[in-house]
Amino acid sequence: MQSVNPATGQLIRDYPEHGPAECAAILTDVARAARDFSRTTFAGRARCMTALAELLIAEAPVHARLITLEMGKLFREAEAEVKKCAQVCLYYAQHAEAILSPTPVRSAVAESCVSFEPLGTILGIMPWNFPFWQAIRFAAPAVMAGNAVVLKHAPGVCGCALAVEDLFRQAGFPEHVFRTLLIPLDLVESVIAHPGVRGVSLTGSVRAGRSVAALAGKHLKKSVLELGGSDPCIVLADADLSAAARTGAAARLQGCGQVCIASKRFIVERPVADQFTELLTTAMSHYVPGDPFDPATTLGPMAREDLRQALAVQIKTCLDMGARLLLGGHAVEGPGFYHEPTLLADVAPGMPAYDEELFGPAAALFVAEDAQHALFLANDTPYGLGAGIWTADVDAARAMARHIEAGTVTINGMTKSEPALPFGGVKNSGYGRELSEFGIREFVNIKTLRVF
Ligand code: NDP
């Protein structure tokens, strides 16, 4: 497995894979650790989780450097990612016990209650776009619930995957409660099939989601899928257009556009379409590709050459089918996997920018006749992860939000995940929830106790 620096295209390091025997041995160790760990107290787990948060804060620049080297996001974005990981650790350190404490329920018998018990080993299959956050967002609740975890990370971020494993060890968690598996795809089924593994959480593409869901079904394991989106951002005629354009450009171009909950389809009401188009084009044009370690840079490289090529094909297909280019449109020549910020107009059904996720620095702009038409366009997608509405009439936006097919709706701001709020999608964006009380309850045995 190879880490390649996306800013230069140069190899950083080779990592030897775990073979089938080594993978099986790790799973045995983790299953044994899971049994002991399930009997530990919340207070003990919380002490380790708090220590993990402290380590993440103290060592943020070191880990951020690794993130930027392996997947190319701006160093300041990487530093913010590591610090956000500390927040999710602290959230579950502070709240897991209360969320999972046994709940008495009135029933037909003298005494009954519901408790939340650990399941065993949980597998996380994670992508490269937030190499620390995706791994820790998945692991922190699973571990605070008393499970052990194994992480199969994307092969380009092996350094990050091993660093996260090491952090759990340093924080005081027992050996094998968190293990990283450096395995190719053809070993994934053997991991899901392992009797100690009781669930799998995947963040990634729809293709990967279908495959993992099928394997989880075949082996009867619980699954949670977070599969990206093609998030609409509705801009109504009474909106603060400057704020919408500024925030929209920032949302779309963070992480070089490789963020599942970024606004990707801007849907603007006709009376303000020309004005908003100009504001958004200008705002996006201020993002200039450059060295992700340079504090002045606003747009880093994409994470891999094949991802850049896939984006180029999507853009070209749109243009060949009649879309109009308002900005950018091209890969940047020279070393590294840079791509210009790109804005498309006149996008219609059948085009990739309408039907698919554009996972790079490219957005599509649509004109809606009125709010109802905007709602139709927002929902006319196979995805349903996040959505945004910009308007001066927040009550009307609240009402509209009820009808948007998405896991999160944000009014007059940027969609972001945060530890206390559930995160996930509907339709092809997957199922199940991460974060909050809902996320930690995904991988527990919800046990009924009845006493006569
Ligand atoms: P993938 O979905 O292929 O990769 C994400 C993770 O899933 C990786 O660890 C990958 O491992 C694993 N994976 C892929 N296929 C399978 C499978 N059949 N069984 C088990 N695990 C699997 O994403 P890509 O990196 O190829 O990116 C492609 C597209 O996916 C993007 O353009 C974007 O649309 C979407 N995506 C969405 C993300 C999100 O945040 N929701 C994050 C990343 C991508 P391996 O790399 O070894 O195949």
Side-chain angles (χ1 to χ4, degrees), residues 41-355:
T41 61
F42 279 105
R45 291 175 217 155
R47 262 195 304 280
C48 297
M49 202 49 83
T50 306
L52 177 58
E54 286 163 0
L55 281 167
L56 285 161
I57 297 286
E59 299 174 1
V62 178
H63 302 304
R65 184 171 179 279
L66 186 58
I67 292 173
T68 299
L69 276 176
E70 287 198 322
M71 57 69 65
K73 73 171 53 169
L74 301 182
F75 179 74
R76 64 172 171 278
E77 291 177 336
E79 223 175 356
E81 176 182 336
V82 177
K83 289 180 180 164
K84 188 170 172 180
C85 292
Q87 285 174 23
V88 79
C89 293
L90 291 176
Y91 172 81
Y92 282 114
Q94 287 160 10
H95 299 289
E97 183 167 12
I99 296 170
L100 299 182
S101 64
T103 312
V105 180
R106 258 139 88 97
S107 73
V109 296
E111 177 196 330
S112 49
C113 92
V114 179
S115 66
F116 304 92
E117 316 291 351
L119 288 177
T121 305
I122 311 298
L123 166 65
I125 302 179
M126 294 295 147
W128 41 267
N129 60 340
F130 289 88
F132 267 59
W133 170 249
Q134 307 278 24
I136 291 174
R137 173 181 76 177
F138 146 72
V143 166
M144 276 308 298
N147 300 297
V149 303
V150 284
L151 169 67
K152 180 251 168 283
H153 221 323
V157 292
C158 288
C160 291
L162 293 169
V164 173
E165 179 186 70
D166 198 43
L167 279 162
F168 271 80
R169 215 175 273 130
Q170 282 183 56
F173 285 104
E175 188 71 21
H176 308 305
V177 161
F178 183 113
R179 290 298 306 271
T180 285
L181 298 171
L182 301 182
I183 53 167
L185 279 190
D186 56 13
L187 284 189
V188 167
E189 178 164 5
S190 68
V191 179
I192 292 175
H194 190 280
V197 172
R198 301 309 320 162
V200 52
S201 177
L202 167 98
T203 299
S205 60
V206 171
R207 180 179 39 80
R210 289 190 203 285
S211 170
V212 168
L215 290 174
K218 180 176 166 191
H219 297 284
L220 289 179
K221 307 292 168 86
K222 170 80 186 275
S223 60
V224 167
L225 303 179
E226 200 274 89
L227 305 179
S230 186
D231 287 5
C233 175
I234 295 173
V235 182
L236 297 176
D238 61 354
D240 178 340
L241 298 183
S242 302
R246 204 173 47 247
T247 309
R252 177 64 291 230
L253 297 174
Q254 60 182 314
C256 199
Q258 303 162 120
V259 176
C260 49
I261 46 163
S263 304
K264 289 163 190 154
R265 296 178 299 128
F266 291 88
I267 300 166
V268 56
E269 262 192 301
R270 187 170 293 285
V272 292
D274 288 346
Q275 201 185 340
F276 181 74
T277 301
E278 194 179 322
L279 286 166
L280 183 64
T281 310
T282 306
M284 286 180 69
S285 70
H286 289 145
Y287 288 76
V288 181
D291 174 6
F293 281 105
D294 182 342
T297 300
T298 43
L299 193 67
M302 292 183 66
R304 298 195 314 251
E305 176 58 12
D306 66 301
L307 295 165
R308 181 169 72 156
Q309 280 170 8
L311 181 70
V313 169
Q314 288 175 309
I315 291 170
K316 181 171 183 315
T317 307
C318 291
L319 296 175
D320 289 348
M321 292 176 77
R324 196 157 44 93
L325 195 58
L326 296 175
L327 180 72
H330 305 101
V332 177
E333 291 196 9
F337 313 140
Y338 293 94
H339 195 284
E340 293 171 346
T342 296
L343 187 57
L344 298 166
D346 299 346
V347 169
M351 297 184 192
Y354 198 102
D355 298 333

